Amino acid sequence: MADTPHPGPSPTGPQTTGHEWDGIVEFNNPLPRWWLYTLYATIVWSVGYWIAYPAWPLVSGYTGGLLGYSQREVVLDEVEAVRRARDARGQAQLATASIAEIRADPALLRLALATGKAAFGDNCAACHGSSATGRLGYPNLQDDDWLWGGTPEEIERTIRYGARSGHGEARVGDMPAFGRDGVLKRDEIEAAATYVLSLSGKPGVAGASVEKGREVFAGNCTGCHGETAAGNPEMGAPNLTDAIWLYGSAPEQVVATITNGRKGMMPAWDGRLDQATIKSLAVYVHDLGGGR
């Protein structure tokens, strides 16, 4: 049955809206005054709340309100205060403990790994990448190939003093510019590149002799890289027998390295980062999987 107009209320009967549906008449009784006053009060309260407290979302935040009060901010401040107090105790322990002691204490180790991960993202990821896998000219810290040694203590020293950073204790190991300085001729450089590439099963420069390269290597390179070309961490000389190449393994890249030398620099973090953070970084980097 369609919604049809009702003849209207009786002068002496209940008030209706004038509509009827299947015999059902909708009354039009007034709301209780107490209910209306409560509704009006909540509307006024909500408007006042919107004005006084943070309420309205914006594109990049929310309205702060006249009072500037937020229970969420209060809770976050309390949580942060507890975290600072906890970290202050932990950081003091990290600063005074040795790396061996940190690794032996599960609670300190967890704190060191968390601190090191945060510090790595802030200070080291720009060069080594957020996942520490490095890129051309910047070492991969997840493999087991270390120019200056991969023990936690050696990693700590490298982080603390850097390489060619200008610090008095910095790691220093310069690769000579054999071509630029006139030590070797072009054909000798190409032969040496072919020889070292052959050690890791890679193709060398077209037409260059492996045997001649072996002779060039023996006369000029074994002092740093060793007779077997396995490298020397005390001098920062890389292992040339593996498949890991810091500056690229293409023949032209290896020729460029021998010709012009390499002098990559890592900053010294001593004095820029506190003791606890430096130790935490060493523990974190070692824990990435490539440490020894």
Side-chain angles (χ1 to χ4, degrees), residues 101-289:
E101 291 171 335
I102 293 172
R103 292 174 61 81
D105 186 323
L108 270 185
L109 179 59
R110 285 194 299 271
L111 178 58
L113 291 174
T115 302
K117 182 177 182 179
F120 188 92
D122 291 340
N123 301 280
C124 313
C127 291
H128 294 282
S130 58
S131 58
T133 52
R135 54 193 174 92
L136 195 66
Y138 299 93
N140 179 354
L141 304 179
Q142 293 202 32
D143 59 27
D144 198 23
D145 194 78
W146 297 87
L147 292 177
W148 304 100
T151 67
E153 292 74 18
E154 289 167 334
I155 295 172
E156 179 192 1
R157 182 184 171 188
T158 301
I159 295 171
R160 186 179 299 279
Y161 302 125
R164 305 177 191 88
S165 63
H167 193 286
E169 299 295 327
R171 308 280 201 180
V172 179
D174 291 335
M175 166 81 180
F178 288 100
R180 190 179 63 209
D181 294 342
V183 178
L184 295 176
K185 297 178 181 179
R186 178 71 183 188
D187 62 324
E188 293 175 319
I189 292 173
E190 292 179 349
T194 295
Y195 169 68
V196 297
L197 284 167
S198 72
L199 295 175
S200 55
K202 297 182 180 296
V205 181
S209 168
V210 172
E211 289 305 317
K212 180 177 179 179
R214 190 194 311 274
E215 294 175 3
V216 174
F217 185 90
N220 298 273
C221 311
T222 55
C224 293
H225 294 280
E227 294 183 0
T228 61
N232 184 355
E234 293 184 2
M235 303 182 69
N239 181 356
L240 303 177
T241 64
D242 57 24
I244 299 172
W245 295 82
L246 181 57
Y247 293 99
S249 61
E252 60 272 17
Q253 292 172 319
V254 178
V255 167
T257 296
I258 300 173
T259 301
N260 300 309
R262 297 293 185 182
K263 292 179 172 58
M265 193 276 286
M266 174 177 170
W269 295 99
D270 189 38
R272 302 171 65 182
L273 298 177
D274 57 53
Q275 300 300 312
T277 303
I278 289 176
K279 292 179 181 179
S280 297
L281 272 171
V283 172
Y284 172 73
V285 170
H286 182 269
D287 196 66
L288 289 173

Side-chain angles (χ1 to χ4, degrees), residues 79-90:
V79 171
E80 178 63 18
V82 172
R83 187 194 67 77
R84 285 197 300 267
R86 181 195 64 202
D87 286 354
R89 293 192 297 270

